[in-house]
Amino acid sequence: MRQAPIEEQSEFEGFLWGELILVALLGAALALFLTKPTLRSEYHLPELRLVLATLYAVGGGLVALLCAGRFGAEGRRFDLLLCAGFCTTSAAWAAFSVGPSVTGLPQHRAESWAGLIGILGGFVLIAGAPFARGRVENRRTALVDMCVAIGFFLLVVWGVSRAVGAGLPDLQPAEGRHVPNLLTAVFALLALVNLVAVVGFGNRFRNHTEDLDRWLALGSTLLLFASIQRVFSPLAGTAYVSQGDFLRLIAYSVLLVGVWRAIRGSEFRRAVAEERARVAREIHDGLAQYLFAVTTQVSLLEGGADQTQTLPRLKEAALAAQQEARFAVLALSSASGGAPFDAALRRYVDFLTADGELEVELEIDTGVHLAPDEQIEVFRIVQEGLSNTRRHAGARKAWLTIARRGVDRLVSLYDDGTGFEPPTEGAGQGLRNMRARAAAIGGAFTMRSVPGRGTSLEVVLRP
């Protein structure tokens, strides 16, 4: 029970050593940058500057979209603030840096300052994310409100910058002119905000050991040194490029990778949760019912019931419970990918039909290839369908086929059971599960049933 905290501490120590090494390397590069004035040159490359600004806008937008996806799945304020922060920085880059360059309109100092303040505001939200707690109930409304607030904020910043106008310092001073103190102060404040983000995400990783926090701390460290470099070389127009711009591009790449990994981790956790729910349903619908029958017969014995009648029923219920437990374990182990798909499916069918209650005719076309994710979902759809056939349909025989139909791949299950009248509204949980599993692998699911004439299920998979 105490192994997990030790592992988490070891993981945090590894992260901390990695951060120290990165800071040492970036610090050495910064020291070289400060001691060699020739390295502090800005290059007048407006085309490259436009490309970099576009990459910042696109990279920030992608990170914002991924964070929005995580927020939609889990509803955490942490993800909402990350989404808002990266969305703000991306919109600021696009509206005040990329937009004027693409349209050919001149970029006045008002637009330059509006972009700079918008980026600063976005990073303030990002730095505040690791300190956010709790979840949001109405997620869609929260995302809409966030977009409206970001648009309003950038509009206000631009309006104020336009109103101040000539009172703002020039962000691209001519050679030999004094660099405005306000510009240096803004970049210093941006560096401070990035430092808060590094500390916040590092502390959050120490407390939660979430992989995303590690990547966010790493990206924030790169952004911190990019901002420090700007403190000593504070030009922020649309025509100049310096070393810090490339460091910022690397930071956005790291952040994008980290959030993508977090999204995949969220999908895995959601799949685990769904699998746990399915196992719980299987236990409730199968094993729990047989165990209830066992306890009922035991209670009858304790009450003085006739043993010659009660003991056979007790033995039958116990054997059925044992069989159901083995059946559930076999289904889970077969669907986990521990055996080839064909062999796992045949083994499952053999065990299902071992008691003679149901006969299943299985036909698998060896030319039909199923990807690993398709194998898992198809196995579970078949498992759900055969389980319903065995328990509820009153069928004596079923036909399971995996073959080609034209260019499509077809999974079909038919039975000779009693059938039923399909519901006009809604569907049972089992049917909804099968539809969801088919949709997860891009398949089309159909179910037909006629009272007295059996039931058929079909899943048509993409070519």
Side-chain angles (χ1 to χ4, degrees):
M1 293 295 292
R2 299 187 60 83
Q3 185 65 24
I6 294 176
E7 291 178 354
E8 291 176 3
Q9 183 179 1
S10 175
E11 192 169 359
F12 176 71
E13 289 177 354
F15 157 76
L16 196 58
W17 276 109
E19 274 289 305
L20 290 175
I21 293 173
L22 177 63
V23 169
L25 292 174
L26 293 175
L30 180 63
L32 183 63
F33 175 81
L34 295 178
T35 55
K36 299 291 184 180
T38 55
L39 297 178
R40 280 181 269 172
S41 300
E42 287 78 28
Y43 305 95
H44 189 270
L45 298 170
E47 293 82 5
L48 180 58
R49 177 68 179 180
L50 175 60
V51 171
L52 291 175
T54 303
L55 290 175
Y56 300 155
V58 172
L62 289 175
V63 174
L65 284 175
L66 292 174
C67 291
R70 253 177 68 102
F71 173 73
E74 301 180 7
R76 296 189 299 177
R77 289 191 176 91
F78 168 75
D79 294 311
L80 180 62
L81 279 179
L82 282 180
C83 177
F86 284 110
C87 188
T88 302
T89 60
S90 178
W93 279 111
F96 302 121
S97 184
V98 178
S101 300
V102 171
T103 58
L105 298 174
Q107 185 189 37
H108 302 288
R109 65 183 66 183
E111 284 75 21
S112 298
W113 274 100
L116 185 58
I117 299 303
I119 292 169
L120 176 61
F123 279 112
V124 168
L125 292 173
I126 294 171
F131 306 100
R133 299 290 184 271
R135 298 178 184 270
V136 177
E137 294 297 330
N138 197 332
R139 302 169 191 177
R140 182 174 299 179
T141 302
L143 287 174
V144 173
D145 292 344
M146 178 201 75
C147 294
V148 172
I150 291 173
F152 180 74
F153 167 72
L154 293 177
L155 186 62
V156 168
V157 168
W158 179 76
V160 171
S161 300
R162 295 284 291 182
V164 175
L168 292 171
D170 191 356
L171 291 177
Q172 297 184 120
E175 185 175 354
R177 189 184 301 176
H178 176 67
V179 174
N181 293 329
L182 179 59
L183 183 58
T184 304
V186 170
F187 280 115
L189 181 58
L190 183 59
L192 179 61
V193 170
N194 293 141
L195 177 61
V196 172
V198 172
V199 175
F201 290 122
N203 183 65
R204 196 172 188 277
F205 180 75
R206 180 175 65 89
N207 294 330
H208 302 284
T209 325
E210 188 175 347
D211 190 54
L212 176 61
D213 296 320
R214 186 208 313 264
W215 289 89
L216 289 170
L218 178 61
S220 298
T221 303
L222 294 168
L223 289 171
L224 168 63
F225 279 88
S227 300
I228 293 176
Q229 188 269 347
R230 276 300 192 189
V231 171
F232 297 98
S233 180
L235 296 180
T238 58
Y240 290 90
V241 175
S242 68
Q243 295 86 346
D245 292 308
F246 298 100
L247 194 59
R248 186 177 291 109
L249 182 61
I250 296 174
Y252 273 104
S253 302
V254 168
L255 293 170
L256 189 60
V257 170
V259 177
W260 174 250
R261 283 171 56 93
I263 290 289
R264 296 302 299 267
S266 297
E267 293 176 352
F268 175 76
R269 289 193 297 272
R270 186 162 57 251
V272 170
E274 291 176 354
E275 182 63 16
R276 288 176 176 172
R278 189 187 68 81
V279 172
R281 289 194 302 271
E282 288 292 327
I283 293 175
H284 176 269
D285 295 340
L287 184 59
Q289 303 300 322
Y290 292 115
L291 292 177
F292 176 75
V294 170
T295 57
T296 300
Q297 299 303 322
V298 170
S299 298
L300 291 175
L301 285 175
E302 291 177 344
D306 186 2
Q307 294 186 8
T308 58
Q309 296 181 1
T310 306
L311 284 177
R313 289 197 294 266
L314 176 60
K315 182 178 180 181
E316 179 182 358
L319 290 175
Q322 182 184 18
Q323 183 186 41
E324 187 68 22
R326 293 176 58 197
F327 174 77
V329 170
L330 174 65
L332 289 173
S333 61
S334 299
S336 66
F341 176 74
D342 293 7
L345 190 56
R346 293 184 188 279
R347 185 181 173 206
Y348 176 83
V349 170
D350 289 343
F351 186 84
L352 181 70
T353 58
D355 58 0
E357 294 294 325
L358 177 68
E359 179 185 353
V360 177
E361 187 174 310
L362 176 60
E363 180 181 350
I364 301 178
D365 185 349
T366 56
V368 175
H369 173 72
L370 297 177
D373 59 330
E374 293 175 332
Q375 293 180 10
I376 295 295
E377 300 302 344
V378 166
F379 188 94
R380 289 171 178 169
I381 291 171
V382 169
Q383 176 189 350
E384 183 78 29
L386 285 176
S387 176
N388 291 337
T389 298
R390 177 185 170 89
R391 295 176 181 173
H392 309 301
R396 296 297 302 170
K397 188 171 182 179
W399 293 263
L400 174 60
T401 304
I402 300 177
R404 288 192 178 277
R405 186 168 66 185
V407 297
D408 296 324
R409 295 166 296 162
L410 176 68
V411 180
S412 60
L413 174 62
Y414 305 86
D415 67 56
D416 62 355
T418 57
F420 61 94
E421 191 69 36
T424 56
E425 296 183 2
Q429 184 63 45
L431 185 58
R432 288 198 297 269
N433 288 342
M434 287 188 283
R435 290 189 188 278
R437 294 192 185 282
I441 53 177
F445 177 87
T446 57
M447 185 275 295
R448 300 180 183 87
S449 186
V450 178
R453 299 181 60 184
T455 302
S456 67
L457 305 176
E458 286 189 354
V459 179
V460 180
L461 298 175
R462 59 187 182 275

